[in-house]
Structure formats: C-alpha cells, structure tokens
Amino acid sequence: MRERILIGVAWPYANGPLHLGHITGAYLPADIFARYHRLKGNDVLMVSGSDQHGTPVTIRAQQEGLTPLEVADKYHRQFVEGWRKLGISFDLYTTTDTPNHFEVAQDMFLTLLKNGYLYREKMLQAYCPNCQRFLPDRYVEGTCPHCACDRARGDECDECGKPVSPSELAGLRCVLCSTAPRFEYSEHFFLRLSAFQDRLADWIREQTHWRRNVLGGAWNFLNEGLRDRAITRDLDWGIPVPQPGFENKRLYVWFENVIGYLSASKEWAKSQGDDDAWRPFWQGDARSYYFLGKDNIFFHTLSWPATLMGYGGLNLPYDVPANEFLTIEGRKLSTSRNWAIWLDDYLERYDPDALRYTLAVNMPETGDSDFSWREFLRRNNNELVATYGNLANRVLTFAQRHFDGVVPQPGDLDEPGQRLLQEAASSLDRVDGRLYRCEFKAAIKESMSLAQEANRYLDEQAPWKTIKTDREASARSVYTTLSLLTTLKTALYPFLPFSSERLHSYLGFDGSVKEQGWNAQFLPPGQKLRKPEPLFVKLDEDIVAQETGRLGPLTECQE
Ligand SMILES: [Zn+2]
Ligand SMILES: [Zn+2]
C-alpha cells in the first residue's frame, strides 16, 4: 500500500550562511528519509523555506547596510544553491515572504481568534526614547547574569547559550543607538497555550514511538505548566497583524514560520495545477514528520500542535525526530566566533557525499556528536574510499579487462555466493526497518557492514587468481560481487545519492536509482557495463591542518 508522507523541515533564518549544524540537525536526515520513501514508491511531500522575517533578519540587514528583503533574498539564494549542491531534494523550498504565506498565516490567526484561543494583553516592553520605538528582545543587549559577557542579547546570551530576558541584563542598551531604554506598556496578542495543556499531555502520552530526548523535552515544558505566549512583536518587518490598532506590529516568527509547512504545501499544490493536492498530505491517514534541531522541540511538539488543534481539521505531527547538537572539534559551535564549518566553503572543496556520509554515520540522534576534520579524513579515506569505493572499482575494472566489459554469465551460484546475496537481501530489509523508524545512523552502519562483507568475499574468492585457472569460478565471483553492488547502491542511495547514481550507471543500468525502487535487484548477465571512475577521492593528510586553521578566531567573550 502506498503511504503518504509529509516531511516538514525547520525554516532557516535567512540571516547568515548555512553551517554543518543546520545540515546534520535537520536537512540531511529529512532528505535521507524523503529519498528512502520515494524509493519505496510512497508519496512524499517535503517542504520548507527560508524564514525571511523577524529580528534576526532586520538586525543583520542593519549590520550589512541592506534592507531586510535584500538580506533575506541574498541568503535565500545561497540556501537554494546549497541544497542543490548537497542534494537536499525538496519538493518545494520557498520563503515566508510570499502572498500565499501571508494569506495562510493570517487565516490561521483569524481562525484561532474566532475560536477563542487568542487574546490581547499589555506587556512591558523596552522602549528607546532616542529611536522613539519599542525594542523587540533582540534589539537590546547588556551584561549576561550567567556568564558576565557584556554582549548578551535580550532573548539569549550567545556566549553561554542561556535564555535571558531584557530585564535580567545589566547595563541594558538599544542596539541601534546604545541609549538606555525604558520599559513601557505595549499591547500584544497571546496564544492561549495554557488551554491546550491537558489535550497536549494526552496526545504526547500516545507518542510512544518518539525519540526519548524529544519526549523528555516536551514533558519538561508540560510539567512546568504551559504559559500563554505573545505571538506579535513591535516590528515593521513581517506579516501584518490583521486587526485594527496593530499596524506597527507583526506576527512573531515562531508563530508564523511553522504555518509555512501548510502554506508551502498549498503553494506546491498550486504548482501542480491542483489547488487541493495538499489535502491528502494533511488529512486522513497521511503521516507528517518534522525534522529540526533540539532547540526547536518546544515549537514543534507543543506550540505548533496547539495551533493545529485550535485551527482544527488538520493532522498533528506523527513524529518529530529532532536531533541533538553537533560540536566542532570538541567545542560548541558558534557562528559569531566563526567556530563553524560553512556549507558553501565545504562544497567548494569537497565531495557532497563525503559530508553526507560523515554526518550520517555520526548523527546526533540521541546525544550531541562531534565533527572533526581528522575524523572526516579517516571516514573518507578508510571507509568510503577503501571499503566501498575500492570494492566497486576493483570488480568493475576487472570485469572491463577480463570479461569484455559485460556482466559475466555466472552459471550456478556456489554456496558462498548464494549466502552473500541472501545476506544482501536481508541487510536491505534491516536498513529498511531502520530508515522507517528514523534510525539513520544505524541504517548507514548496516549498509557499510554489507560492503565489508563483500570485500571479505571478494578477497576469499580472488577472481584475479582464478581467472588463470578456473574462468568459470572467476566469472561467478565477479557476477556475485556486481550483484551485491546493485543492492548496495540502493541501500546507500538515501545517504549517498550522487555516488549511488554513478555506480548505477557503471553497472550498466539506464535512468535513475529511484526508478528501480527499493529492492534487491536482479543484475542481468550479459548487461553492458560502463567504464568506471573511482566513486570517491582519497584526501591528503594536510587538509586537517588547513581546515582546522580556518576555525575561529575567538572574540573577547571567550572563556
Ligand atoms: Zn551568558
Ligand atoms: Zn535607540
């Protein structure tokens, strides 16, 4: 039975370049999952887009001397290019700055208002007498009460990562003009999250298939008791609040960007020429998966489901496989200190599949994980090149040289050959089960152990020896190994799409891996092979020193 799978991937702020933390947190696992389900023949809709609104974008614009739209467009274009080069296969990647998204978000707002889940209340807000404007939390900075860094923002301290509020910061100042702000009342709309406390708790209790860290995160908030949250901000960039008296305010990004999953699905439907094509992904037995980093667990397990409950008629998330964080060379990733590996930099110098592999095999699914260039080098050279790439290259070039570049006739397979191919089929089943449950790390390890097994088989059979004494035995082992590679490139396709497609072609198949589906395929004897190139490039030791040298420098707030 065909399944319908909606994949929502967190919306990156269009206020700076993408780094490996973004990729391993959300985009790579989402893409692996999407490719797997497409291969299985299921209907997949994977959507996301650039979050073009909010103070992260307006502040960046001010720093770069551009308008918010110019900044957002600039990074949006970079993101789109990054997805293409890394092979992140969205069905639609849009932005929050479209008329369609405005309409869907405002409709959500008005429906929640009508249903009694929104109310107005005055709250104290920093106000700059010099700029004559209210200052959203990111527009004030001061000294962090936790770590004494004197450049903590009003919502979070970048240095220690702790959430703060403006009133906790000493020496508070306006980021635009450095004047000390005063606090004045400003009226905002609040989402009545407290009204959903019991419904959310009942619903989350049923989600026994969620990751433990995600359930733990959600329960932490529930156990504290959900508080109503302001969903509008004093800002002039973003989606207007469709209520009189709120002309100088905008919808809060964390209220509106998650609505983007729905608006993007509608935009995708229109692009398919069927305005209702989004419905099967949002209603009935479709399952929705949301991929994001652990800092977004609150919004996707509580705030967004509450919004959906209040709106009515749409599916709640089926799973929220949030990842933990990635550290870089053993230290917390920090964009402001340039302790980060930027996606564009990586893609300029290295193979996309090597990154996808290194990140997947070490994915922070249950705890934080670390990326180091030494580890990257080792995984690339010892695993991709030596284990998988060489296996393919050895047997493909051998077949070119000794079997006229065609898949040899195997005759009857012997016992070791049959065993290996049975193992390939059952390994594919195990990878299937792992991927179905979003266990990406285990899935890729399972696939690579099949490659190791094939290497052992090939070394034992040694067709380069038997070719001189027993041509039939040589043909049999070459056929068996080529057959195994046919299955292996399928199992690895969700992780390593570029090299899988190349191998698919070297094995003599036409079209794409995707068209052949998720199964242990039959390799026809006599099929013409294509001339192979190495699947992966061996990297030099020197890159470790070169790349770690690009990290930093540290700023004055370092420990
Ligand atoms: Zn701090
Ligand atoms: Zn000011």
Side-chain angles (χ1 to χ4, degrees):
M1 196 188 72
R2 275 166 91 95
E3 298 175 27
R4 247 187 222 103
I5 311 284
L6 173 71
I7 301 176
V9 202
W11 294 60
Y13 278 129
N15 76 330
L18 295 163
H19 54 68
L20 299 199
H22 293 117
I23 304 306
T24 200
Y27 305 97
L28 178 60
D31 183 65
I32 293 168
F33 196 63
R35 286 176 183 273
Y36 156 71
H37 274 292
R38 292 187 195 118
L39 216 50
K40 294 272 287 179
N42 293 326
D43 288 330
V44 173
L45 176 59
M46 173 158 103
V47 293
S48 183
S50 303
D51 187 344
Q52 300 214 340
H53 297 145
T55 52
V57 174
T58 55
I59 288 187
R60 183 72 178 214
Q62 182 216 338
Q63 289 162 350
E64 294 194 10
L66 299 171
T67 67
L69 183 61
E70 285 167 343
V71 162
D73 279 348
K74 171 178 134 183
Y75 289 110
H76 175 67
R77 283 194 299 274
Q78 282 187 20
F79 293 175
V80 169
E81 190 56 12
W83 305 143
R84 190 185 64 76
K85 287 185 181 160
L86 190 60
I88 305 296
S89 55
F90 286 108
D91 293 290
L92 180 73
Y93 186 79
T94 178
T95 82
T96 55
D97 205 45
T98 67
N100 169 67
H101 177 65
F102 277 47
E103 193 185 307
V104 175
Q106 289 181 336
D107 168 59
M108 189 70 83
F109 176 93
L110 291 170
T111 307
L112 290 170
L113 185 64
K114 189 184 78 194
N115 292 349
Y117 295 116
L118 300 183
Y119 62 91
R120 301 165 173 224
E121 194 166 279
K122 290 202 166 83
M123 61 190 282
L124 278 175
Q125 186 73 40
Y127 180 87
C128 177
N130 182 40
C131 298
Q132 298 193 321
R133 57 171 287 179
F134 279 105
L135 301 172
D137 291 352
R138 278 205 190 209
Y139 272 82
V140 292
E141 56 181 28
T143 305
C144 174
H146 308 289
C147 74
C149 174
D150 68 354
R151 290 181 294 104
R153 295 190 323 238
D155 56 348
E156 186 186 76
C157 172
D158 263 348
E159 182 59 23
C160 66
K162 295 217 169 91
V164 293
S165 67
S167 57
E168 290 176 291
L169 302 179
L172 200 64
R173 59 193 179 271
C174 167
V175 298
L176 300 172
C177 71
S178 296
T179 303
R182 57 176 191 247
F183 285 86
E184 288 192 8
Y185 280 100
S186 173
E187 190 173 40
H188 284 285
F189 274 97
F190 282 70
L191 174 64
R192 211 183 285 279
L193 266 179
S194 57
F196 295 94
Q197 170 87 26
D198 293 344
R199 277 171 77 185
L200 285 168
D202 288 346
W203 171 68
I204 289 195
R205 222 169 268 125
E206 291 165 15
Q207 311 306 318
T208 49
H209 56 287
W210 284 14
R211 288 183 183 166
R212 262 218 317 251
N213 49 337
V214 177
L215 283 173
W219 279 112
N220 281 344
F221 291 108
L222 283 167
N223 291 338
E224 279 174 20
L226 295 179
R227 278 181 308 234
D228 298 347
R229 287 197 159 213
I231 57 153
T232 51
R233 289 292 185 271
D234 291 288
L235 203 65
D236 60 6
W237 171 243
I239 302 183
V241 182
Q243 286 293 292
F246 282 76
E247 288 77 10
N248 296 326
K249 300 174 189 188
R250 295 293 180 268
L251 296 181
Y252 176 43
V253 276
W254 273 109
F255 173 73
E256 58 109 331
N257 72 22
V258 287
I259 298 172
Y261 299 122
L262 178 62
S263 64
S265 302
K266 292 186 174 183
E267 186 183 334
W268 169 82
K270 283 184 196 126
S271 76
Q272 302 299 299
D274 175 3
D275 285 6
D276 284 326
W278 63 275
R279 288 185 188 278
F281 289 97
W282 282 85
Q283 293 166 333
D285 57 8
R287 292 199 309 273
S288 44
Y289 291 78
Y290 293 88
F291 288 86
L292 40 121
K294 71 173 164 191
D295 48 336
N296 293 339
I297 287 178
F298 172 81
F299 295 105
H300 289 82
T301 62
L302 299 164
S303 175
W304 174 231
T307 303
L308 288 166
M309 286 172 177
Y311 186 77
L314 300 174
N315 289 348
L316 299 180
Y318 172 79
D319 199 359
V320 185
N323 272 343
E324 301 281 302
F325 289 151
L326 184 73
T327 56
I328 302 292
E329 302 285 347
R331 301 182 56 160
K332 186 173 171 270
L333 191 153
S334 164
T335 55
S336 57
R337 292 194 247 158
N338 194 37
W339 199 262
I341 297 161
W342 306 101
L343 180 64
D344 289 354
D345 283 353
Y346 174 91
L347 291 171
E348 247 172 51
R349 298 191 276 277
Y350 308 105
D351 173 10
D353 274 357
L355 181 63
R356 294 176 64 113
Y357 179 73
T358 307
L359 294 179
V361 86
N362 200 16
M363 198 167 265
E365 289 171 5
T366 52
D368 292 352
S369 66
D370 188 56
F371 179 95
S372 75
W373 285 103
R374 170 131 330 261
E375 165 101 347
F376 170 75
L377 180 81
R378 186 179 70 74
R379 298 250 184 225
N380 182 76
N381 289 358
N382 298 0
E383 297 176 12
L384 285 182
V385 174
T387 303
Y388 176 34
N390 278 359
L391 171 72
N393 204 48
R394 270 201 296 172
V395 70
L396 284 164
T397 40
F398 189 80
Q400 287 290 343
R401 195 168 309 142
H402 296 283
F403 294 99
D404 302 325
V406 299
V407 178
Q409 290 288 345
D412 288 334
L413 288 189
D414 57 358
E415 203 264 326
Q418 283 175 7
R419 208 171 350 110
L420 186 70
L421 294 187
Q422 271 162 16
E423 175 52 24
S426 56
S427 174
L428 192 67
D429 282 345
R430 289 194 294 272
V431 174
D432 188 348
R434 297 288 193 185
L435 285 174
Y436 195 84
R437 295 190 297 274
C438 297
E439 296 166 7
F440 304 109
K441 200 157 95 171
I444 194 163
K445 286 187 172 160
E446 173 70 44
S447 306
M448 284 306 279
S449 67
L450 184 61
Q452 282 165 355
E453 203 133 322
N455 273 304
R456 275 195 293 275
Y457 167 86
L458 195 63
D459 288 342
E460 270 164 31
Q461 298 292 319
W464 46 89
K465 283 187 191 151
T466 52
I467 190 76
K468 294 168 202 146
T469 53
D470 183 351
R471 191 175 166 82
E472 223 170 90
S474 182
R476 207 158 50 220
S477 56
V478 168
Y479 176 83
T480 304
T481 313
L482 289 171
S483 273
L484 177 125
L485 285 171
T486 307
T487 302
L488 192 57
K489 60 112 169 88
T490 304
L492 286 171
Y493 169 81
F495 302 96
L496 311 175
F498 297 99
S499 50
S500 282
E501 292 288 12
R502 289 199 298 273
L503 181 53
H504 181 74
S505 158
Y506 300 156
L507 288 165
F509 293 104
D510 294 323
S512 157
V513 175
K514 206 166 78 184
E515 290 151 29
Q516 297 216 342
W518 182 271
N519 47 55
Q521 288 140 27
F522 176 69
L523 180 67
Q527 174 157 291
K528 183 100 187 85
L529 299 164
R530 293 192 179 87
K531 198 177 167 319
E533 300 279 334
L535 287 180
F536 305 100
V537 183
K538 192 168 181 210
L539 295 169
D540 196 276
E541 280 279 325
D542 294 351
I543 69 144
V544 176
Q546 281 164 21
E547 294 295 344
T548 48
R550 292 181 212 265
L551 291 166
L554 304 177
T555 59
E556 64 268 29
C557 272
Q558 65 186 274
E559 357 357 29

Coordinates of all heavy atoms in Angstrom, one line a residue, residues 390-431:
N390 N 36.7 1.2 -3.4 CA 37.6 0.3 -3.9 C 36.9 -1.0 -4.3 O 37.3 -1.7 -5.3 CB 38.8 0.0 -3.0 CG 39.8 1.1 -3.1 OD1 39.7 2.0 -3.9 ND2 40.9 0.9 -2.2
L391 N 36.0 -1.4 -3.5 CA 35.2 -2.7 -3.8 C 34.6 -2.5 -5.2 O 34.8 -3.4 -6.1 CB 34.1 -2.9 -2.8 CG 33.1 -4.0 -3.1 CD1 33.8 -5.4 -3.0 CD2 31.9 -3.9 -2.2
A392 N 33.9 -1.4 -5.4 CA 33.2 -1.2 -6.7 C 34.3 -1.1 -7.8 O 34.1 -1.7 -8.9 CB 32.4 0.1 -6.6
N393 N 35.3 -0.3 -7.6 CA 36.3 0.0 -8.6 C 37.1 -1.3 -9.0 O 37.3 -1.6 -10.2 CB 37.3 1.1 -8.2 CG 37.9 1.8 -9.3 OD1 37.2 2.2 -10.3 ND2 39.2 1.9 -9.3
R394 N 37.4 -2.1 -8.0 CA 38.2 -3.3 -8.3 C 37.4 -4.2 -9.2 O 37.9 -4.7 -10.2 CB 38.4 -4.1 -6.9 CG 39.7 -3.7 -6.2 CD 40.1 -4.7 -5.3 NE 39.2 -5.0 -4.2 CZ 39.3 -6.0 -3.3 NH1 40.3 -6.8 -3.4 NH2 38.4 -6.1 -2.3
V395 N 36.2 -4.5 -8.8 CA 35.4 -5.5 -9.6 C 34.9 -5.0 -10.9 O 34.9 -5.7 -11.9 CB 34.3 -6.1 -8.7 CG1 33.2 -5.1 -8.5 CG2 33.7 -7.4 -9.3
L396 N 34.6 -3.7 -11.0 CA 34.2 -3.1 -12.3 C 35.3 -3.1 -13.3 O 35.2 -3.4 -14.5 CB 33.6 -1.7 -12.1 CG 32.2 -1.6 -11.5 CD1 31.9 -0.2 -11.0 CD2 31.1 -2.0 -12.5
T397 N 36.5 -2.7 -12.8 CA 37.7 -2.6 -13.8 C 38.1 -4.0 -14.2 O 38.5 -4.3 -15.3 CB 38.9 -1.9 -13.2 OG1 39.0 -2.2 -11.8 CG2 38.7 -0.4 -13.3
F398 N 38.0 -5.0 -13.2 CA 38.3 -6.4 -13.5 C 37.4 -6.9 -14.6 O 37.8 -7.6 -15.6 CB 38.2 -7.2 -12.3 CG 38.7 -8.6 -12.4 CD1 40.1 -8.8 -12.4 CD2 37.9 -9.7 -12.7 CE1 40.6 -10.1 -12.5 CE2 38.4 -11.0 -12.8 CZ 39.7 -11.2 -12.8
A399 N 36.1 -6.6 -14.5 CA 35.1 -7.1 -15.5 C 35.4 -6.4 -16.8 O 35.2 -7.0 -17.9 CB 33.7 -6.8 -15.0
Q400 N 35.8 -5.2 -16.8 CA 36.2 -4.5 -18.1 C 37.4 -5.2 -18.8 O 37.3 -5.5 -20.0 CB 36.7 -3.0 -17.8 CG 35.5 -2.1 -17.4 CD 34.6 -1.7 -18.6 OE1 34.9 -2.0 -19.8 NE2 33.4 -1.2 -18.3
R401 N 38.3 -5.6 -17.9 CA 39.6 -6.2 -18.5 C 39.4 -7.6 -18.9 O 39.9 -8.0 -20.0 CB 40.7 -6.0 -17.5 CG 42.1 -6.3 -18.1 CD 43.2 -5.9 -17.1 NE 43.0 -4.5 -16.5 CZ 43.2 -4.2 -15.3 NH1 43.7 -5.1 -14.4 NH2 43.1 -3.0 -14.9
H402 N 38.7 -8.4 -18.1 CA 38.7 -9.8 -18.4 C 37.4 -10.4 -18.9 O 37.3 -11.5 -19.3 CB 39.0 -10.6 -17.1 CG 40.4 -10.3 -16.6 ND1 41.5 -10.8 -17.2 CD2 40.9 -9.5 -15.7 CE1 42.6 -10.4 -16.6 NE2 42.3 -9.6 -15.7
F403 N 36.3 -9.6 -18.8 CA 35.0 -10.1 -19.3 C 34.4 -9.2 -20.3 O 33.2 -9.0 -20.4 CB 34.1 -10.4 -18.1 CG 34.5 -11.5 -17.2 CD1 35.2 -11.2 -16.0 CD2 34.3 -12.8 -17.6 CE1 35.7 -12.3 -15.2 CE2 34.8 -13.9 -16.8 CZ 35.5 -13.6 -15.6
D404 N 35.2 -8.5 -21.1 CA 34.8 -7.6 -22.2 C 33.8 -6.5 -21.8 O 33.0 -6.1 -22.6 CB 34.1 -8.5 -23.3 CG 35.1 -9.6 -23.8 OD1 36.3 -9.3 -23.9 OD2 34.6 -10.7 -24.1
G405 N 33.9 -6.1 -20.5 CA 33.0 -5.0 -20.1 C 31.6 -5.4 -20.0 O 30.7 -4.5 -20.1
V406 N 31.3 -6.7 -19.9 CA 29.9 -7.1 -19.7 C 29.8 -7.9 -18.4 O 30.7 -8.4 -17.9 CB 29.3 -7.9 -20.8 CG1 29.3 -7.1 -22.1 CG2 30.0 -9.2 -21.0
V407 N 28.5 -7.9 -17.8 CA 28.3 -8.7 -16.6 C 28.5 -10.2 -17.0 O 27.8 -10.7 -17.9 CB 26.8 -8.5 -16.1 CG1 26.6 -9.4 -14.9 CG2 26.6 -7.0 -15.8
P408 N 29.4 -10.9 -16.4 CA 29.7 -12.3 -16.8 C 28.5 -13.3 -16.5 O 27.8 -13.0 -15.6 CB 31.0 -12.7 -16.1 CG 31.1 -11.7 -15.0 CD 30.4 -10.5 -15.4
Q409 N 28.4 -14.4 -17.3 CA 27.5 -15.4 -17.0 C 28.0 -16.2 -15.8 O 29.1 -16.7 -15.8 CB 27.4 -16.4 -18.2 CG 26.8 -15.8 -19.4 CD 25.2 -15.7 -19.3 OE1 24.7 -16.2 -18.4 NE2 24.6 -14.9 -20.2
P410 N 27.2 -16.3 -14.7 CA 27.7 -16.9 -13.5 C 27.6 -18.4 -13.5 O 28.2 -19.1 -12.6 CB 26.8 -16.3 -12.4 CG 25.5 -16.0 -13.1 CD 25.8 -15.7 -14.5
G411 N 26.7 -19.0 -14.3 CA 26.4 -20.4 -14.2 C 25.6 -20.6 -12.9 O 25.0 -19.6 -12.4
D412 N 25.7 -21.7 -12.2 CA 25.1 -21.9 -10.9 C 25.9 -21.3 -9.8 O 27.1 -21.5 -9.8 CB 24.9 -23.4 -10.6 CG 23.8 -24.0 -11.5 OD1 22.9 -23.2 -12.0 OD2 23.9 -25.2 -11.8
L413 N 25.3 -20.5 -9.0 CA 26.0 -19.8 -7.9 C 26.4 -20.9 -6.9 O 25.6 -21.8 -6.6 CB 25.1 -18.7 -7.2 CG 24.9 -17.5 -8.0 CD1 24.2 -16.4 -7.1 CD2 26.2 -16.9 -8.6
D414 N 27.6 -20.7 -6.3 CA 28.0 -21.7 -5.3 C 27.5 -21.2 -3.9 O 26.9 -20.1 -3.8 CB 29.5 -21.8 -5.3 CG 30.3 -20.5 -5.1 OD1 29.6 -19.5 -5.1 OD2 31.5 -20.5 -5.1
E415 N 27.8 -21.9 -2.9 CA 27.2 -21.7 -1.6 C 27.7 -20.3 -1.0 O 26.8 -19.5 -0.6 CB 27.6 -22.8 -0.7 CG 26.7 -23.0 0.5 CD 27.3 -22.3 1.7 OE1 28.5 -22.3 1.9 OE2 26.5 -21.8 2.5
P416 N 29.0 -19.9 -1.1 CA 29.3 -18.6 -0.5 C 28.7 -17.5 -1.3 O 28.3 -16.5 -0.7 CB 30.9 -18.6 -0.7 CG 31.3 -20.0 -0.9 CD 30.1 -20.7 -1.5
G417 N 28.5 -17.6 -2.6 CA 27.8 -16.6 -3.4 C 26.4 -16.5 -3.0 O 25.9 -15.4 -2.9
Q418 N 25.7 -17.6 -2.9 CA 24.3 -17.5 -2.5 C 24.1 -16.9 -1.2 O 23.2 -16.1 -1.0 CB 23.7 -19.0 -2.5 CG 23.4 -19.5 -3.9 CD 23.0 -21.0 -3.8 OE1 22.8 -21.5 -2.7 NE2 22.8 -21.6 -5.0
R419 N 25.0 -17.3 -0.3 CA 24.9 -16.7 1.1 C 25.1 -15.2 1.1 O 24.4 -14.5 1.7 CB 26.0 -17.4 2.0 CG 25.6 -17.5 3.4 CD 26.5 -18.3 4.3 NE 27.5 -19.1 3.7 CZ 28.8 -18.9 3.8 NH1 29.3 -17.8 4.5 NH2 29.7 -19.7 3.3
L420 N 26.1 -14.7 0.3 CA 26.3 -13.3 0.2 C 25.1 -12.6 -0.3 O 24.7 -11.5 0.2 CB 27.5 -13.0 -0.6 CG 28.0 -11.5 -0.6 CD1 28.5 -11.1 0.8 CD2 29.0 -11.2 -1.7
L421 N 24.5 -13.1 -1.4 CA 23.3 -12.4 -2.0 C 22.1 -12.5 -1.1 O 21.3 -11.5 -1.0 CB 23.1 -12.9 -3.4 CG 24.2 -12.6 -4.4 CD1 23.7 -13.0 -5.8 CD2 24.6 -11.2 -4.4
Q422 N 22.0 -13.6 -0.3 CA 20.9 -13.6 0.7 C 21.1 -12.6 1.8 O 20.2 -11.9 2.2 CB 20.8 -15.0 1.3 CG 19.9 -16.0 0.5 CD 20.2 -17.4 0.9 OE1 20.8 -17.7 1.9 NE2 19.7 -18.3 0.1
E423 N 22.4 -12.5 2.2 CA 22.7 -11.6 3.2 C 22.4 -10.1 2.7 O 21.9 -9.3 3.5 CB 24.2 -11.7 3.6 CG 24.8 -10.7 4.6 CD 24.0 -10.6 5.8 OE1 23.2 -11.5 6.2 OE2 24.0 -9.5 6.5
A424 N 22.7 -9.9 1.4 CA 22.4 -8.5 0.9 C 20.9 -8.2 1.0 O 20.5 -7.1 1.3 CB 22.9 -8.5 -0.6
A425 N 20.1 -9.2 0.6 CA 18.7 -9.0 0.6 C 18.2 -8.8 2.1 O 17.4 -7.9 2.3 CB 17.9 -10.2 0.0
S426 N 18.7 -9.6 3.0 CA 18.2 -9.4 4.4 C 18.8 -8.1 5.0 O 18.1 -7.5 5.8 CB 18.4 -10.6 5.3 OG 19.7 -11.0 5.3
S427 N 20.0 -7.7 4.6 CA 20.5 -6.5 5.0 C 19.7 -5.3 4.5 O 19.4 -4.3 5.3 CB 22.0 -6.3 4.5 OG 22.5 -5.1 4.8
L428 N 19.2 -5.4 3.3 CA 18.4 -4.3 2.8 C 17.1 -4.2 3.6 O 16.6 -3.1 3.9 CB 18.1 -4.6 1.3 CG 17.4 -3.5 0.5 CD1 18.4 -2.3 0.3 CD2 16.9 -3.9 -0.8
D429 N 16.5 -5.4 4.0 CA 15.4 -5.3 4.9 C 15.6 -4.7 6.2 O 14.8 -3.9 6.7 CB 14.9 -6.8 5.2 CG 14.1 -7.3 4.0 OD1 13.7 -6.6 3.1 OD2 13.9 -8.6 3.9
R430 N 16.8 -5.0 6.8 CA 17.1 -4.4 8.1 C 17.3 -2.8 7.9 O 16.9 -2.1 8.8 CB 18.4 -5.0 8.6 CG 18.2 -6.4 9.1 CD 19.3 -6.9 10.0 NE 20.6 -7.0 9.3 CZ 21.0 -8.1 8.6 NH1 20.2 -9.2 8.6 NH2 22.1 -8.1 8.0
V431 N 18.0 -2.4 6.8 CA 18.1 -1.0 6.6 C 16.8 -0.3 6.4 O 16.5 0.8 7.0 CB 19.0 -0.7 5.3 CG1 19.1 0.7 4.9 CG2 20.4 -1.3 5.5

